[in-house]
């Protein structure tokens, strides 16, 4: 029976890279048919950035952008902006801490398309910041094809973000997603018209966006708010509140204290019931 890796000790959690390598060694010993892949992807590398560059290249490389070129682009991003790798570590921790089906860091690193799509976006966003828009759009397109996640390269996404299941997620150009946010499948952070400018949502820290929720327009979702599954939100949501329905109404203020970490998708008894 599969068991979760114990990633916390009396001295605190080990470094992500050390834990990932340890898991890869155990997996290679247990499953010899994958030992070569695990060695090439993780064990042959000296740090998380090189391993992730290799892994993304395996996924993103095609006839137009060869795997080696994709790998070099990712390595350039990590070398130029080490803060990206700090976000990567936070993202891996977020998946392990919030997804009870996740057994350790190895699963999201190798297999979870939400994590891989987010890391592709981080490289594409770095390219966008360097004025390399064509290649950034290319990575966006590949991510959409491979992972069914469409994040505009200009969108700003914080650290410790958990994208669960991932299929059907759309995040627009001027959207901002804060730290420690959890996003389930089918979420849309969209605009309201064909006009340009700042037109997409601003999602605060620790927000939980339920499955198939749509947040539309240049509106703010306050820190630690919760958007219930299937809701359509067209107006701002105060910090710590739950919004649910079509159109969304405030149904609970305050909600649970840290919904993105607890992944608590319940609505609770309605304390407020008015359209926002």
């Amino acid at each position: 029976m599969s068991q979760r890796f114990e990633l916390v000790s009396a001295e605190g959690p080990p470094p992500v890279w050390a834990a990932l390598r340890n898991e890869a060694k155990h997996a290679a010993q247990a499953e010899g048919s994958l030992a070569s892949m695990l060695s090439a992807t993780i064990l042959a590398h000296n740090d998380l950035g090189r391993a992730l560059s290799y892994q993304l290249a395996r996924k993103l490389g095609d006839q137009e952008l060869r795997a080696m070129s994709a790998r070099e682009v990712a390595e350039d991003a990590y070398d130029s902006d080490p803060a990206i790798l700090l976000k990567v570590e936070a993202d891996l921790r977020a998946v392990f801490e919030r997804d009870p089906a996740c057994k350790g860091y190895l699963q999201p690193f190798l297999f979870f398309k939400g994590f891989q799509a987010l890391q592709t976006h981080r490289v594409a966003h770095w390219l966008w910041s360097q004025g390399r828009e064509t290649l950034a759009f290319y990575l966006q397109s590949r991510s959409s094809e491979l992972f069914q996640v469409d994040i505009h390269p200009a969108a700003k996404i914080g650290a410790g973000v958990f994208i669960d299941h991932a299929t059907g997620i759309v995040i627009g150009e001027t959207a901002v997603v804060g730290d420690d946010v959890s996003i389930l499948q089918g979420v849309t952070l969209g605009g309201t018209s064909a006009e340009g400018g700042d037109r997409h949502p601003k999602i605060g820290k620790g927000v939980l966006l339920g499955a198939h929720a749509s947040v539309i327009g240049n509106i703010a979702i306050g820190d630690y708010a919760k958007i219930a599954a299937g809701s359509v939100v067209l107006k701002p949501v105060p910090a710590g509140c739950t919004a649910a329905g079509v159109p969304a109404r405030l149904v609970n203020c305050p909600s649970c204290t840290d919904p993105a970490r607890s992944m608590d998708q319940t609505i609770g008894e309605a304390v407020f019931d008015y359209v926002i």
Side-chain angles (χ1 to χ4, degrees):
M1 184 175 181
S2 180
Q3 299 291 327
R4 295 192 101 201
F5 268 78
E6 181 55 62
L7 299 181
V8 179
S9 67
E11 294 76 27
V16 168
W17 175 238
L20 179 61
R21 282 183 59 86
N22 184 51
E23 292 175 36
K25 289 178 181 178
H26 282 283
Q29 292 169 0
E31 193 59 74
S33 59
L34 295 179
S36 178
M37 181 272 285
L38 290 163
S39 176
T41 306
I42 297 172
L43 299 175
H45 303 284
N46 295 322
D47 59 64
L48 179 61
R50 265 43 187 181
L52 183 55
S53 297
Y54 186 94
Q55 169 67 353
L56 291 180
R58 289 178 64 234
K59 296 289 185 177
L60 300 172
D62 61 7
Q63 291 184 341
E64 283 70 39
L65 182 66
R66 298 294 185 181
M68 183 58 71
S69 297
R71 182 178 177 182
E72 290 172 353
V73 169
E75 288 180 351
D76 286 346
Y78 303 147
D79 290 342
S80 298
D81 186 0
I84 297 175
L85 287 176
L86 296 178
K87 291 182 178 180
V88 172
E89 292 182 359
D91 297 339
L92 278 169
R93 289 195 183 97
V95 179
F96 177 75
E97 291 170 358
R98 301 176 208 172
D99 186 352
C102 182
K103 309 305 179 183
Y105 296 144
L106 187 64
Q107 278 182 293
F109 187 90
L110 290 179
F111 306 125
F112 286 11
K113 65 181 184 178
F115 173 79
Q116 294 169 4
L118 179 55
Q119 305 324 314
T120 301
H121 168 73
R122 296 203 186 283
V123 175
H125 183 72
W126 176 81
L127 287 167
W128 186 270
S129 73
Q130 302 300 305
R132 301 170 66 181
E133 295 184 3
T134 302
L135 186 52
F137 277 129
Y138 192 88
L139 292 186
Q140 175 194 7
S141 176
R142 285 292 289 154
S143 182
S144 181
E145 293 169 358
L146 290 169
F147 309 125
Q148 295 80 53
V149 175
D150 193 352
I151 308 175
H152 193 285
K156 299 176 181 178
I157 299 181
V161 171
F162 173 36
I163 297 180
D164 194 17
H165 304 297
T167 300
I169 287 174
V170 177
I171 300 178
E173 178 183 13
T174 60
V176 178
V177 177
D179 295 340
D180 302 321
V181 169
S182 291
I183 305 173
L184 278 76
Q185 71 270 18
V187 165
T188 296
L189 304 181
T192 54
S193 71
E195 295 182 3
D198 194 354
R199 60 195 185 280
H200 294 99
K202 310 298 181 280
I203 309 299
K205 180 178 181 180
V207 171
L208 173 61
L209 300 171
H212 300 285
S214 295
V215 184
I216 306 298
N218 183 15
I219 59 175
I221 307 300
D223 294 349
Y224 305 107
K226 183 193 304 185
I227 308 301
S231 299
V232 177
V233 182
L234 302 174
K235 295 183 180 180
V237 175
C241 291
T242 295
V246 181
R249 299 170 179 267
L250 296 182
V251 297
N252 201 349
C253 287
S255 183
C256 61
T257 58
D258 202 344
R261 289 186 183 275
S262 68
M263 297 296 290
D264 178 4
Q265 298 183 60
T266 60
I267 295 176
E269 296 183 8
V271 178
F272 296 89
D273 187 18
Y274 55 88
V275 177
I276 55 174

